[in-house]
Amino acid sequence: MNKECEITRDLIPLYIDHISSDASRDYVEEHVRIVLNAKNPKRYAIAYHTPIDYSERLEEAKHITKLKKAINRKIIITATICVLIVLTFVSSIYISTKITYDIPSSDVTFYEANGKLLMKYKGHGALLYSAYASHIDNSPTKEWHISFTQTFFERYVQPLYKKDKPQVLDSTKEVKAVYDQDGHILWQNKSLPNNE
């Protein structure tokens, strides 16, 4: 195979795809014409195919481009929906823990069981409390001052999966009394001496 045939063979794919220069296209057409008119055409085995109409390839490319755009659009929509779901979930948890409801101390019952001071909420949902103890006259006996709240989560969500149980405040041996934030007695230990 001579040099012209090798060059032509390299240029044929460019010629078929219509991306060769005008000079290269003319060169390929001239060389193929010469080879086909030669006395012994079998001696030159060039793979030459009739060029495909370029408009058909453009039409195929349009379909592929449309498909890519549709897939990209679906990916963007799916990602946006996922992000919105996550943001909604996170913000709802945040908001549900920030909204608080004050619970009146009359809705909480104190009672003794097995030497422990227990409290039970009469309302719906779980109970949160804020408490501090103060010792009386350097004795081991304490007075508890307590206030009660609920968040949106404890009031509406937690009851769906968790049953309320009485909460232990302290040992009854160490507690003289329990007061609410206004100073009202909620529970008093009758078994301790010097109780009023």
Side-chain angles (χ1 to χ4, degrees), residues 15 19-29:
Y15 178 85
I19 56 175
S20 62
S21 66
D22 292 340
S24 296
R25 188 176 62 248
D26 293 343
Y27 178 81
V28 169
E29 289 174 355

Side-chain angles (χ1 to χ4, degrees), residues 15 24 26 28 33 47-48 66-67 74-75 83 85 89 100 106 173 179-180 186-187 196:
Y15 178 85
S24 296
D26 293 343
V28 169
R33 199 173 303 115
Y48 177 75
K66 284 181 184 178
L67 182 62
K74 286 183 181 181
I75 289 171
V83 167
I85 289 171
F89 180 73
T100 58
S106 59
K173 293 178 187 177
Y179 298 92
D180 67 8
L186 302 176
W187 178 85
E196 300 175 4

Side-chain angles (χ1 to χ4, degrees), residues 17 40-41 65-68 72 85 93 154 157 168:
D17 289 338
N40 190 359
T65 304
K66 284 181 184 178
L67 182 62
K68 283 182 181 178
N72 288 340
I85 289 171
I93 289 176
E154 276 80 25
V157 178
V168 177

Side-chain angles (χ1 to χ4, degrees), residues 155-170:
R155 182 173 278 192
Y156 298 109
V157 178
Q158 195 172 1
L160 298 174
Y161 67 89
K162 187 176 179 184
K163 192 166 185 174
D164 291 338
K165 295 180 182 176
Q167 295 178 338
V168 177
L169 181 62
D170 203 342

Side-chain angles (χ1 to χ4, degrees), residues 50-90:
T50 307
I52 296 173
D53 185 13
Y54 192 61
S55 62
E56 290 177 18
R57 289 199 176 199
L58 283 176
E59 195 61 38
E60 290 173 7
K62 285 180 186 175
H63 292 301
I64 292 171
T65 304
K66 284 181 184 178
L67 182 62
K68 283 182 181 178
K69 285 181 181 177
I71 290 171
N72 288 340
R73 193 176 308 118
K74 286 183 181 181
I75 289 171
I76 291 169
I77 289 170
T78 303
T80 304
I81 289 171
C82 289
V83 167
L84 288 174
I85 289 171
V86 168
L87 287 175
T88 302
F89 180 73
V90 169

